[in-house]
């Protein structure tokens, strides 16, 4: 999935999905300028984050969620460009 966002120094992000049982407790955020984003932050407890961005750059990000039972969900890599 791809999008273009306006120029900014920090962009707000939200987890792209939810859990049927509504028992997600941790989020791992992968974020990079490469199509295989690297781990940016792990075991976050909030489902929204601000990530630093630079103009005229394409970014890639994905989220892995973890629930109370130790299950995890790996979401697709998303792409966006900051103008």
């Amino acid at each position: 999935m791809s999008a273009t966002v306006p120029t900014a120094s920090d962009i707000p992000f939200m987890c792209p999905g939810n859990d049927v049982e509504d028992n997600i407790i941790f989020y791992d955020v992968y974020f990079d300028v490469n199509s295989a984003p690297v781990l940016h932050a792990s075991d976050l407890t909030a489902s929204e984050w601000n990530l630093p961005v630079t103009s005229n750059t394409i970014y890639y990000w994905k989220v892995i969620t973890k629930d109370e039972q130790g299950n995890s969900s790996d979401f697709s890599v998303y792409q966006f460009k900051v103008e």
Side-chain angles (χ1 to χ4, degrees), residues 8-69:
S9 59
D10 282 327
I11 297 287
F13 287 82
M14 291 183 66
C15 179
N18 55 26
D19 181 59
V20 174
E21 292 91 19
D22 196 28
N23 62 350
I24 294 173
I25 56 173
F26 294 117
Y27 302 87
D28 290 348
V29 177
Y30 291 74
F31 183 70
D32 205 341
V33 295
N34 297 305
S35 60
V38 296
L39 183 63
H40 178 76
S42 64
D43 294 336
L44 298 174
T45 56
S47 62
E48 296 182 27
W49 324 274
N50 286 332
L51 296 173
V53 296
T54 304
S55 297
N56 298 314
T57 306
I58 296 174
Y59 291 95
Y60 301 87
W61 70 292
K62 78 172 187 171
V63 175
I64 295 177
T65 60
K66 303 172 193 172
D67 70 15
E68 293 171 343
Q69 285 76 36

